[in-house]
Amino acid sequence: MKIVLDAMGGDYGVQPIVEGLISALKKENFSPIIVGDSKEIEKFVPQELKSKIQVIHCNDYIAMHDHASSATKRKESSIYVGMELLREGEADAIVSAGHSGATMSLATLRLGRIQGVSRPAICTMMPTSIEGKYSLILDAGANTDCKPEYLLDFALMGYEYAKGVMGIPHPKVGLLSNGEEDIKGNELTKETFPLLKNYDFFIGNVEGKNIFDGSVDVVVCDGFIGNLVLKSSEGVASAISKMLKQEIKKSIFSMLGAMLMRNAFKALKARTDHSEYGGAPLLGVNKTVIISHGSSNARAIECAIYQAIHTLKANVCDKIRKSFESIER
Amino acid sequence: MKIVLDAMGGDYGVQPIVEGLISALKKENFSPIIVGDSKEIEKFVPQELKSKIQVIHCNDYIAMHDHASSATKRKESSIYVGMELLREGEADAIVSAGHSGATMSLATLRLGRIQGVSRPAICTMMPTSIEGKYSLILDAGANTDCKPEYLLDFALMGYEYAKGVMGIPHPKVGLLSNGEEDIKGNELTKETFPLLKNYDFFIGNVEGKNIFDGSVDVVVCDGFIGNLVLKSSEGVASAISKMLKQEIKKSIFSMLGAMLMRNAFKALKARTDHSEYGGAPLLGVNKTVIISHGSSNARAIECAIYQAIHTLKANVCDKIRKSFESIER
């Protein structure tokens, strides 16, 4: 299993990327190829791992402020070079915390879409109030304006991923809407509903709260809304944490209580920490592509590598391919 | 100041509505008119308040499962009778925890839109991590599919409400989008951006997280997204609370800590509790209409009445009217 790691374009430079790789290498068996500024990368690779990690030097990388459209022309950029390794069959998966727009457009254009998939989608895992249970939301940001058939595709891809990677035998798929009743929705979801209605996995419209209560496994929406819901949720969690800290500081009893609750808070943090879910797979392209937060720390990169491995082991691309072959349209 | 209270259609029946009214009467000076099943209502009105509370009996009410469109025909329903009191000038504001679709359509059709307003919008207050600071989000659910000019109207109305009722001298208005950069957005927000660009109050695109960090006062979006963000946020808050309770139960130290932190948790709950914000005003109609959660408890109804009073005192309808008079289109 060969996994390409894009060392460039993350908010905190090369260090967390390499460190995440080193941690992953201790636990999983795979062959890493790391693309980017070799001088920078080698700073962080310990001597004993140098033979295990293949470094491919690249002169260029796509920065966060660059336009995604420029990515296809910048053939010496790390993400371009990495993607070509997948295209040429030299590697099986890629993980990048760089410019996500560039990663998406290169994946779509250079690796190609799986036959029948109208648009690849970013699939993000969300924690729920049921311990050990997660929900998937897709599209989480790849496609701002969608058509009903895209949303149908997202449902099918999310279903396969939930089954294959998360090991849910019969994933429940819901359409994100402003009410649970069948008639609720905006123009897009109302047109999507009949396309999904006949699938056994479809449980109907779901509401924002259902993403977090464990009642649905796969939540389907357009990428604009997926992104908003994701960032709003992060915003709420962060606001609650800040508010609680403010309230704790107001009394000595609370401060003492908070000390006693340290482990509970730590566990809560782990359950809601994005780093632990790894990155988000871009589903619908011909190879395994994992997109990580620009702000990924080493732990997030490590988990994103595990996610690439699980996705490969579960043959998600093949399963999506088969699922789309069998659809009559 | 005459305020109509719709006693009917709430999830918990007449009791919390009447109790909320009684609490509000202790603190504020206003003349209440309560519409609904008089027999039910009178059960909860203490003898000494019977002269203070005018009860108007109605034979009918719009239940949650009824279609909003039927509301205009059911002239004996409590919300219809209540709305007519406003229309005829017999009352100044109405508060309802009943069928919100029915309230909206009756308000729009019977009270009429303020000249120039394309669509009335539900305006909801959200807590932020800055103590005492709230943000407004509109539309929170009245209009699922919007045009750019609706969003411009929402911005203008939200600005007036933030200034008048919340007392913010120069409210900052942001357009909810999938990134802060000007070029980010979906078709709708990209077309809305240029309409807002020249207003001094407009601070550009804002992200989901900004709703909760105090960096923006008024967040503008379509009603489908507003509803999703609202319900997702409630879902996150509720999931975090459940997770923390689960973690606390795992250790005796945490349980002890949680006891010591009781006041901090209480304060946090108060800061994030929807009941405390009252209901959501429907902005853009000719009178003050406050829409409360169907699941409102007595405290939520009490706060919704205060909100009606503040909205009346601030002359929000007049201010919106003036603001729309001065726009050249």
Side-chain angles (χ1 to χ4, degrees), chain A residues 19-316:
Chain A
E19 285 177 359
L21 172 61
I22 292 168
S23 302
L25 272 174
K26 286 179 192 151
K27 290 190 195 150
E28 289 277 354
N29 190 18
F30 64 99
S31 306
I33 307 169
I34 184 159
V35 289
D37 181 338
S38 60
K39 233 178 173 172
E40 269 298 301
I41 295 165
E42 272 152 15
K43 269 190 209 164
F44 304 106
V45 179
Q47 198 56 45
E48 69 273 19
L49 284 176
K50 288 213 164 141
S51 62
K52 273 198 173 178
I53 301 175
Q54 189 187 343
V55 180
I56 297 182
H57 177 75
C58 306
N59 287 318
D60 189 19
Y61 77 96
I62 314 293
M64 287 299 179
H65 58 259
D66 287 331
H67 260 275
S69 56
S70 71
T72 50
K73 290 165 219 149
R74 289 165 65 176
K75 299 190 179 178
E76 291 187 23
S77 71
S78 58
I79 186 70
Y80 195 106
V81 170
M83 214 56 90
E84 287 305 289
L85 291 169
L86 265 69
R87 198 174 77 91
E88 288 159 7
E90 310 263 320
D92 308 295
I94 188 164
V95 173
S96 175
H99 193 302
S100 60
T103 307
M104 285 187 280
S105 68
L106 282 173
T108 308
L109 294 168
R110 302 300 295 165
L111 306 178
R113 280 174 283 139
I114 290 172
Q115 181 117 38
V117 172
S118 37
R119 291 288 185 287
I122 296 178
C123 180
T124 297
M125 222 157 107
M126 304 292 271
T128 77
S129 55
I130 298 173
E131 206 166 349
K133 198 165 177 6
Y134 297 85
S135 64
L136 293 176
I137 183 160
L138 78 168
D139 177 18
N143 312 278
T144 45
D145 291 283
C146 288
K147 294 179 180 172
E149 49 275 27
Y150 302 178
L151 266 59
L152 167 61
D153 290 357
F154 302 166
L156 294 167
M157 298 193 294
Y159 174 83
E160 292 300 336
Y161 188 84
K163 209 171 167 176
V165 177
M166 295 166 79
I168 301 166
H170 303 286
K172 289 181 270 185
V173 179
L175 181 61
L176 191 58
S177 188
N178 58 339
E180 288 181 357
E181 302 85 354
D182 292 4
I183 51 152
K184 286 287 176 111
N186 64 2
E187 280 169 19
L188 175 65
T189 67
K190 280 180 186 167
E191 283 177 43
T192 306
F193 195 96
L195 302 183
L196 286 167
K197 216 176 60 181
N198 294 325
Y199 286 92
D200 284 341
F201 58 62
F202 184 56
I203 59 163
N205 286 330
V206 295
E207 297 190 79
K209 63 181 179 195
N210 300 121
I211 301 170
F212 309 99
D213 69 6
S215 61
V216 58
D217 300 304
V218 179
V219 177
V220 170
C221 61
D222 73 49
F224 185 74
I225 287 177
N227 179 285
L228 287 181
V229 166
L230 224 79
K231 289 189 183 156
S232 301
S233 311
E234 289 175 17
V236 174
S238 149
I240 290 179
S241 154
K242 276 185 199 154
M243 285 180 193
L244 191 58
K245 278 178 195 154
Q246 290 159 3
E247 297 304 330
I248 288 169
K249 278 188 193 150
K250 290 182 186 167
S251 113
I252 187 87
F253 292 108
S254 294
M255 279 157 67
L256 186 62
M259 271 165 62
L260 287 165
M261 277 186 63
R262 240 180 59 186
N263 286 336
F265 283 131
K266 252 192 207 164
L268 176 69
K269 203 177 169 225
R271 284 175 70 178
T272 54
D273 184 3
H274 269 263
S275 309
E276 298 294 321
Y277 318 145
L282 181 71
L283 300 181
V285 292
N286 276 311
K287 296 265 174 155
T288 297
V289 176
I290 308 287
I291 292 173
S292 291
H293 256 272
S295 64
S296 289
N297 57 21
R299 174 68 182 160
I301 295 295
E302 179 191 348
C303 293
I305 293 170
Y306 299 147
Q307 201 175 11
I309 293 170
H310 298 153
T311 307
L312 285 171
K313 282 190 178 159
N315 287 315
V316 171

Side-chain angles (χ1 to χ4, degrees), chain B residues 169-186:
Chain B
H170 303 286
K172 289 181 271 184
V173 180
L175 181 62
L176 191 59
S177 188
N178 59 339
E180 286 181 357
E181 303 84 356
D182 291 4
I183 51 151
K184 285 287 178 113
N186 64 2

Side-chain angles (χ1 to χ4, degrees), chain B residues 104-124:
Chain B
M104 284 186 282
S105 67
L106 281 174
T108 308
L109 293 169
R110 302 300 296 167
L111 306 179
R113 280 175 282 140
I114 290 171
Q115 181 117 40
V117 172
S118 39
R119 291 289 184 284
I122 296 178
C123 180
T124 297

Side-chain angles (χ1 to χ4, degrees), chain B residues 6 8-9 62-64 67-69 71-72 77-80 82-83 86 94-112 120 122 142 280-282 285 288-292:
Chain B
D6 179 7
M8 310 303 287
I62 314 294
M64 285 301 178
H67 261 275
S69 56
T72 49
S77 71
S78 58
I79 186 69
Y80 196 105
M83 214 57 90
L86 265 69
I94 187 165
V95 173
S96 176
H99 193 304
S100 60
T103 307
M104 284 186 282
S105 67
L106 281 174
T108 308
L109 293 169
R110 302 300 296 167
L111 306 179
I122 296 178
L282 181 72
V285 291
T288 297
V289 176
I290 309 288
I291 292 173
S292 291

